[in-house]
Amino acid sequence: MHEPAWFRWARVIGLTLLGLFALAPVYVMLTSSLKPLPDVEGAFRWFPSHITVSPFVDMWSTIPLGRYLVNSIIVSTTASVASVVIALLAAYAVSRYRFRGRQVFSITVLSTQMFPGILFLLPLFVIFVNLSQVSGINLYGSRTGLIITYMTFTLPFAIWMLAAYLDTIPRDLDDAAKVDGSGPMGAFIRVVIPAAVPGIVAVLIYAFMTSWSEMLFASVLTNDSTRTLAVGAVLTPQESRSRDCRRLDGLWRFRFDPGGEGITERWWRGPLRGGREMAVPASYNDLVTDAAEREHVGDVWYQRDVWVPAAWAGQRIVLRCGAATHNAAVWAGEVQVAQHAGGYTPFEAEVTEHVCCGEPLRVTVRVGNELTMETIPPGVASRSASGRKKQRYFHDFFNYAGLHRSVWLYATPRSYVADISVGTAFDPGTGTGQVSYRIEAAGAGATSVRLRDAKGTVVAQGTGAGGDLTVPAALPWSPDDPHLYRLDVAHGDDQYQLPVGIRTVAVEGARLLLNGKPVMLRGFGMHEDTALRGKGHDDARMVRDFALLDWIGANSFRTSHYPYAEEVLDYADRHGLLVIDEAPAVGLHLSLGDMGDHGARTFGPGAIGTAAAAAHLAALGELIARDRNHPSVIAWSIANEPDTAEPAARDYFAPLVSAARELDATRPVCFANVATAPPGADVVTDLFDLICVNRYYGWYAESGDLSTAERELEAELRAWARRGQPILVTEFGADALPGLHSVPPVMWSEEYQAALIEMSVRVFRRIPEIIGEHVWSFADFSTAQAVHRPGGNHKGVFTRDRQPKAVAWLLRDLWRNDNQ
Ligand code: GCB
């Protein structure tokens, strides 16, 4: 038959497109990079910046990207085989038992399938994505999405194709197969399946391609920051009889990536070009001299070589990153081993298969600092008229970025202790302590624990993965005597030693009890912030900060506004500080003050929506998983100053509070309330155990008028007190430029700062429900450049280089007297 020319062309174009489509997975495999689409602002998003693939995460969580291909083949094959089996049975029924709607079925299938993909798939995709945004249910790029697409596309088409195929097999053959007594199923197996093999193969290929394209869509459109390929890291690396560590601090090769070329050009495949070096751990921002580099928005790359000790042969080798702010991907040699979102919690990946003991290993880390409406903390990046990428955010401290904490390479035996969680109880009446423990271990071997006192004497022991240890005449942990036991955990040949403080924390009425006794918290909201190093962890700064806390008589601090380095909590355990441990959820208030937009709504689609909520939940989960064994941590703070006057805040926070309680039922849960959500306006405080309030009467409110400020502060605190819950004032204070003096006290002078703090404390002492005062802030710190921030935020009681302002002496007198 004569084929018209247009038909030949259509066939060539069709086949070429099909070929390209089939090659798409190869493209992904070759580049091994999952690029996000750009953000498009607005409530209705034609293309979201990513599709959250959290339901896939469990499938992928343990599989490094290098094995993406194998993984997708396994998932796609399983899905296609399943759909072919279902389709074959349905097609047999359609073909052999004619039914009335057969033609309607054919027409429906053909009309949905034969539409050019772009016309049909794209609108469907946009609809799915928007429905997901609104409903919070992940319809695309999830298992649900996969099933829906199967139902709408693959299955009907496969049934239709196979039914047409089976129609060509004479029915007499079925009857012949039934002569010896077998039923329709027998005929199906003996005749239909063997005769339909070519059709089955064709449908299998079709189903496989469809399912793979599903996976591909989900992956290619996934912002890398939403997936955590590495297993979250919990146990801090340590040396023991069975473990060895290398801390990769020092100078790394370093390169800015303003054009976002690192991924496409695969910078991990060779030494980073450009000859720059960067200190680790440190923020890079204040170590450079170029303004655009200090304010860079996007990726930077770090790289170094490390010798993997020959003695580690046969061990399990792990690469761990203490904190990469705000998102990162890690390569061991050529293989991507980890990807992580969240700037203040550790992550790690086993790299045993990707290293050679006795040989050097090239470690490359891509660190991204961009904040979006789907990250925690949130932000918005845009381009200025000059073409520069700019980052806006809704919190006060400078958006420092880089490798902020140590990167480690460490080795454990193949069977190892993977995680430990302890809970403690103390009975002040009998003096008996309880330590309950749960061990997660991998590989063969027996698990056992021994609890030793400070002298090393075993006071209790147990076997197995979980249990309770009783310690008669226990020495409880407290700020006055931060007594620590040591839990020696063994699994197989592996050993891990965990410091344990036996203590209880409880909220009873309007009191906070530690070991059954009321405590008053005195201290600060702090920041990890110093000149040059920015947010990089620094033991020297830590030692000085704790020395000053001791000097001034503080017993407590809040890790405002993110989880601090693990070293800080270890130090707090040893030195008896009471810590409110905060998730990095700051700036969830899009209409606040100078940083926000007047009248902007915070929670909901187009603003802080389901993706941000998922990121928040993940950050909270990682915080609790990392810090739940620290006796110093007495409460979880879920967020700082969210807009809790907005009704939608309740639905946003309720699941987070439940998650925190589920993850750790032993500590109170709180958040720091903002001035725009006083009693009456706030819609969430009843969900929490403590009332924490940040109040700036005399500074942002009633500026310069301390007598009115005193009345208003007292009136508001008394209104909170009527709820009968304990109140912690998590922030109060005033900026003071070091060296600016004035009589009478006026704003910005050291005297005014002292007068405001003295007035506030006077009010607190009149209200019995107040269980603590945290001055904002411990030390001056760096902020984004802004007209109201002369060289940063100066609410520090200490200067940025940790010397006292006038108010420090006042607090010292006050708090040291309290302590006596
Ligand atoms: C706040 C914030 C804190 C700011 C502070 C200020 O309420 O929680 O991050 O630094 O006010 O000084 O404005």
Side-chain angles (χ1 to χ4, degrees), residues 5 79 109 158 210 252 254 273 316 347 453 501-503 560 631 644 654:
V109 169
T210 315
W252 290 52
F254 180 80
R273 281 181 285 118
R316 164 183 167 263
F347 56 97
D453 66 13
I502 297 179
R503 56 113 186 89
S560 37
T644 54

Side-chain angles (χ1 to χ4, degrees), residues 396 561 640-641 694 696 700 731 776 781 789 793 795:
D396 190 29
H561 297 301
N640 181 66
E641 298 199 342
N694 295 353
Y696 288 93
Y700 293 122
E731 287 182 25
W776 189 259
F781 60 90
R789 293 283 183 250
N793 187 311
K795 295 195 184 68

